[in-house]
Amino acid sequence: FEAAIAAAGGVDLQLLGIGTDGHVAFNEPGSSLGSRTRLKTLTQQTRRDNSRFFGGDVAAVPRHCLTQGLG
């Protein structure tokens, strides 16, 4: 993913969400400041928070996501 981003010329503008526990763009607390694009396991709280986009059904919320990382 990092190579694809670089090949596309980088990122000029990015909109990021902030979770109720303060995480940015699914980089849950404890994520390394140097982290790069990777698969992340979502916390139960994040899944509950996002259930509103899945008809209120926490079971329908994905357990994993792809995030660009903090680095």
Side-chain angles (χ1 to χ4, degrees):
F1 291 104
E2 300 301 323
I5 293 168
V11 177
D12 292 324
L13 175 69
Q14 188 172 41
L15 301 176
L16 305 172
I18 299 174
T20 58
D21 61 3
H23 74 257
V24 177
F26 294 123
N27 289 285
E28 300 286 2
S31 293
S32 167
L33 293 177
S35 60
R36 297 294 185 191
T37 305
R38 69 204 186 284
L39 184 68
K40 282 293 292 178
T41 300
L42 300 176
T43 65
Q44 188 62 27
Q45 180 64 50
T46 296
R47 293 181 69 230
R48 275 194 301 271
D49 293 344
N50 284 279
S51 67
R52 68 184 186 272
F53 302 116
F54 295 84
D57 182 6
V58 173
V61 180
R63 294 182 181 276
H64 300 92
C65 69
L66 185 65
T67 184
Q68 264 190 294
L70 298 170

